[in-house]
Amino acid sequence: MNILIAMKQVPDLQQVRIRDRKPVLDDVPLLMGDIDRSALAAAVALQEAAAGKKIVLSAGDGNLEDTVKEALAAGADEAVLVIDDRLRDAESAFSARALAEAIRRTDDVGLVFFGEGSADNYSGQVMSRVAGLLGWPQAGYVREIRLEEGKAVLTRSLEDREEILEVDLPAVVSVVSEIAQPRTPSVTAILKAGRKPKTVFSLADLGLDGPQPKAVETLDQLAPQSERKKLVLKSVEELMDVLRSKEKP
Amino acid sequence: MKNILVYSDRPESAAELVSAGQLIAAATGGTLRALSVNAPDLSAFLAARGIDVLEVRAAGDPVTDAAQMAAALREAADRSDAGVILLSSGRRGKEIAGRLAQEIGAGCLTDVGRLDVVAGRITGVRYALGGATEVFQAVATDRQVLALRPGVFPEAPEGTPGSVQSLDVQLPAPRVRLRAVNAKAGDGADIEKAEVLVVVGQGLAEQGELALAERIARGLGGEVACTKPVATDRRWLPEDRIVGLSGKTCRPSLALLLGVSGQVQFTVGIRDAVTIVAVNRDDQAPVASLSDYFLPADLKAVLPELAGKFPGP
Ligand SMILES: Cc1cc2nc3c(=O)[nH]c(=O)nc-3n(C[C@H](O)[C@H](O)[C@H](O)COP(=O)(O)OP(=O)(O)OC[C@H]3O[C@@H](n4cnc5c(N)ncnc54)[C@H](O)[C@@H]3O)c2cc1C
């Protein structure tokens, strides 16, 4: 049984600048999202106990082969990629279709892992949409997972409780970051990553190159305004003075 | 499909959806209904708020199976001719939102923090780029699924009672089964309502230093909150104390940030504070430009010194 780990190419948010309340994304490098890297680490740990491959799954633009290298170095055996510039910033409904079609063309998939939300949009839709497209069961916000015959037993972390669930396979899950610590690849692993097998699909290969109806229209995007004094304090005494002056009388 | 359907398994969230739904109904002329699944108490609670409730009784635990819930919602939406389906953007609601949207061919917005209806068109506002920006979006499909951030919309008060009708649905066979439920540790502190917050980040070196932060918080009449890794990785505080994108949005009059770097996903939860004061040993940390007062200093020394200015336990 193979495990797919869906990873999203996202801009390095620490390098996004705001100018005139608009984000400036030029020259911002693309990375694999943090929670996705935790998902990969969890899949690697789970497969240690089972025979089968850990396959990175991603849909993105022409830079994707570069971005995915880190994941291959961090323990994935192979990559399944859908590459097209229309997949950069694609809306959830379209990314989900591309991913679901790629999953259909991959052998012996038992589980598909997603991060609970992407580092940029955090909308959490793609996982559920992929499960819907495939007609597979799903479980979100998983904090722990183990395999039993034909099923996964997992802990879903909700706001006020945890549910221990038994889910039939194949299934789609999303994980919370605390499921596993992301792995930092060694230099030799990074060098070897380039040689790991990759399957690359175009949208045409997946029957998705026609015009895509828009499900969501973005009318505007603005950074919220906030003015801060940005005064530098020199001592704990000065800090105390500020705190005292802000205290409720 | 001019009507509106609301669903959440939690009464408070469902009451928030009712008030948001009433806002949309007032602008579009649609009728508002609610779904309740295996929860007669919730049906009664919603009916008391003037809503007609469609009540499903089904075997097993459909609430834990997003595929079953999507089927129930689809049926309820069809029967009530609903074009707008409102869910809560808590973890369960968010999971159902994507599945339902996929199955009914709808566009979907999750984590919606504000709603506007202009000339019958609904615009939702949500965060993008980890919270660095807000996007204003409208669903372009005939049907729309909107998941609203919990705690943002007011809870609808009681009104002229509505009805409860049972709804028969054919649910797909369950493929997610509930084995057990464990309550999560929380301690009742409500950081969203606190006037003063002392927020601790990974810059605290040892768990023992938390006691110092608590002493400062108590001295200032506030609560201790934290960044995500402090709760989820270190497990020093319960998760309901997390400030930020995946935690809570807080609006204290005073926030004291100790050892917090100020990444965007954190910042969205605190930027509405009136005054932000931060201590961090790195004067290049993003938190420096997020604050009104910034003390560049090592907490190893500052924390005991500052705590010493407030009465002990
Ligand atoms: C999808 C997504 C959602 C997220 N949601 C949230 C969220 O809701 N809330 C949240 O908080 N995070 C969230 N995060 C994580 C977020 O990106 C950051 O990783 C997190 O906020 C960092 O926490 P921190 O500031 O405590 O730690 P760090 O970034 O490690 O910062 C620690 C700071 O302490 C300072 N420091 C260290 N030692 C000392 C010392 N001795 N004295 C003084 N200063 C010191 C350092 O200079 C540093 O600036 C999310 C991430 C993702 C991808």
Side-chain angles (χ1 to χ4, degrees):
Chain A
M1 175 188 108
N2 298 319
I3 299 182
L4 293 185
I5 306 94
M7 300 183 79
K8 184 180 176 189
Q9 193 186 28
V10 291
D12 180 353
L13 296 178
Q14 302 208 34
Q15 299 199 35
V16 175
R17 296 283 162 266
I18 301 292
R19 202 173 299 141
D20 297 330
R21 299 188 67 194
K22 297 280 182 191
V24 181
L25 290 164
D26 310 333
D27 303 323
V28 173
L30 298 166
L31 308 170
M32 287 298 169
D34 282 343
I35 305 179
D36 300 353
R37 292 164 62 229
S38 293
L40 173 63
V44 170
L46 192 62
Q47 283 293 60
E48 267 164 14
K53 291 182 284 197
K54 295 89 64 183
I55 305 173
V56 186
L57 168 70
S58 192
D61 69 9
N63 296 309
L64 190 57
E65 290 200 56
D66 240 17
T67 326
V68 85
K69 243 187 214 147
E70 182 204 326
L72 287 169
D77 303 309
E78 291 178 20
V80 171
L81 308 176
V82 188
I83 299 183
D84 190 290
D85 281 347
R86 279 170 286 176
L87 287 165
R88 176 189 327 178
D89 276 338
E91 58 177 49
S92 306
F94 188 47
S95 304
R97 288 187 69 190
L99 295 174
E101 289 304 327
I103 295 167
R104 286 197 176 110
R105 287 164 178 76
T106 306
D107 291 332
D108 195 23
V109 177
L111 274 166
V112 185
F113 277 49
F114 283 81
E116 60 156 292
S118 62
D120 53 351
N121 261 332
Y122 198 59
S123 93
Q125 279 187 50
V126 177
M127 168 258 187
S128 294
R129 283 187 178 272
V130 165
L133 282 159
L134 297 169
W136 290 1
Q138 67 178 80
Y141 306 95
V142 171
R143 190 175 65 71
E144 251 177 56
I145 182 164
R146 66 191 162 80
L147 297 173
E148 283 182 3
E149 194 54 43
K151 56 187 181 240
V153 177
L154 39 86
T155 306
R156 172 196 269 156
S157 172
L158 297 173
E159 287 85 352
D160 59 345
R161 72 191 98 158
E162 291 189 338
E163 294 175 340
I164 315 299
L165 302 170
E166 186 184 295
V167 180
D168 294 344
L169 300 182
V172 177
V173 300
S174 81
V175 306
V176 290
S177 60
E178 53 271 32
I179 192 168
Q181 200 62 30
R183 294 158 59 115
T184 310
S186 66
V187 178
T188 31
I190 293 170
L191 293 174
K192 280 191 197 147
R195 294 199 295 273
K196 290 191 173 175
K198 274 180 233 142
T199 307
V200 178
F201 294 109
S202 66
L203 288 179
D205 295 334
L206 304 178
L208 295 174
D209 55 343
Q212 292 298 322
K214 261 206 160 327
V216 169
E217 211 178 311
T218 297
L219 310 167
D220 207 353
Q221 168 158 214
L222 284 176
Q225 270 166 319
S226 83
E227 291 301 325
R228 292 288 165 193
K229 295 196 187 76
K230 299 180 196 163
L231 300 174
V232 176
L233 304 173
K234 292 196 192 65
S235 63
V236 173
E237 276 66 42
E238 286 190 16
L239 176 62
M240 257 325 269
D241 289 344
V242 170
L243 296 178
R244 286 269 182 254
S245 72
K246 302 294 167 191
E247 245 179 332
K248 292 263 127 177
Chain B
M1 291 190 295
K2 62 203 261 296
N3 296 328
I4 301 150
L5 179 70
V6 306
Y7 171 75
S8 170
D9 61 318
R10 301 165 154 228
E12 327 80 74
S13 301
E16 291 168 16
L17 298 177
V18 168
S19 77
Q22 283 165 339
L23 192 122
I24 297 170
T28 60
T31 301
L32 191 60
R33 288 192 187 78
L35 174 69
S36 124
V37 177
N38 284 1
D41 290 352
L42 179 64
S43 307
F45 173 87
L46 287 166
R49 272 144 191 84
I51 303 300
D52 290 333
V53 181
L54 301 172
E55 186 178 69
V56 168
R57 306 259 180 145
D61 295 293
V63 176
T64 63
D65 186 335
Q68 287 195 313
M69 278 312 303
L73 275 157
R74 178 182 197 154
E75 186 67 29
D78 285 348
R79 298 275 190 94
S80 54
D81 199 28
V84 178
I85 296 130
L86 298 181
L87 303 172
S88 170
S89 212
R91 291 188 162 184
R92 235 200 251 300
K94 228 168 142 174
E95 207 190 318
I96 297 167
R99 183 114 190 185
L100 173 66
Q102 187 57 47
E103 294 187 356
I104 63 173
C108 171
L109 303 177
T110 56
D111 286 330
V112 173
R114 295 204 300 276
L115 276 181
D116 232 336
V117 191
V118 179
R121 180 153 96 151
I122 305 170
T123 308
V125 185
R126 63 185 312 280
Y127 293 123
L129 293 173
T133 60
E134 287 181 330
V135 281
F136 296 71
Q137 295 180 312
V139 171
T141 48
D142 288 346
R143 282 186 143 173
Q144 43 188 316
V145 178
L146 305 174
L148 311 185
R149 272 217 327 262
V152 175
F153 295 86
E155 291 180 31
E158 294 195 359
T160 323
S163 67
V164 178
Q165 286 166 24
S166 73
L167 176 72
D168 278 328
V169 293
Q170 210 59 50
L171 295 182
R175 286 175 296 172
V176 175
R177 286 167 296 272
L178 185 62
R179 278 194 182 175
V181 180
N182 303 323
K184 251 194 201 180
D187 48 15
D190 192 347
I191 61 167
E192 279 164 307
K193 298 216 169 78
E195 276 292 312
V196 176
L197 280 182
V198 175
V199 187
V200 297
Q202 296 199 101
L204 262 69
E206 294 159 36
Q207 188 163 7
E209 292 174 340
L210 261 188
L212 301 177
E214 270 154 17
R215 182 155 152 192
I216 297 167
R218 211 170 331 107
L220 293 170
E223 298 283 356
V224 172
C226 63
T227 63
K228 181 164 177 261
V230 169
T232 59
D233 300 353
R234 296 189 179 173
R235 300 190 158 262
W236 287 3
L237 285 164
E239 287 173 34
D240 59 7
R241 301 257 184 158
I242 299 174
V243 172
L245 188 65
S246 51
K248 294 190 169 156
T249 308
C250 304
R251 297 177 179 81
S253 56
L254 173 63
L256 172 61
L257 313 183
L258 302 173
V260 173
S261 62
Q263 310 293 325
V264 278
Q265 293 100 347
F266 166 77
T267 308
V268 292
I270 204 74
R271 72 173 157 224
D272 294 333
V274 179
T275 302
I276 298 180
V277 184
V279 182
N280 194 306
R281 68 176 172 198
D282 175 9
D283 61 3
Q284 299 299 310
V287 72
S289 50
L290 167 79
S291 39
D292 296 293
Y293 301 93
F294 180 71
L295 177 64
D298 198 314
L299 283 166
K300 271 253 161 307
V302 167
L303 208 49
E305 191 183 340
L306 186 61
K309 312 249 179 219
F310 296 97

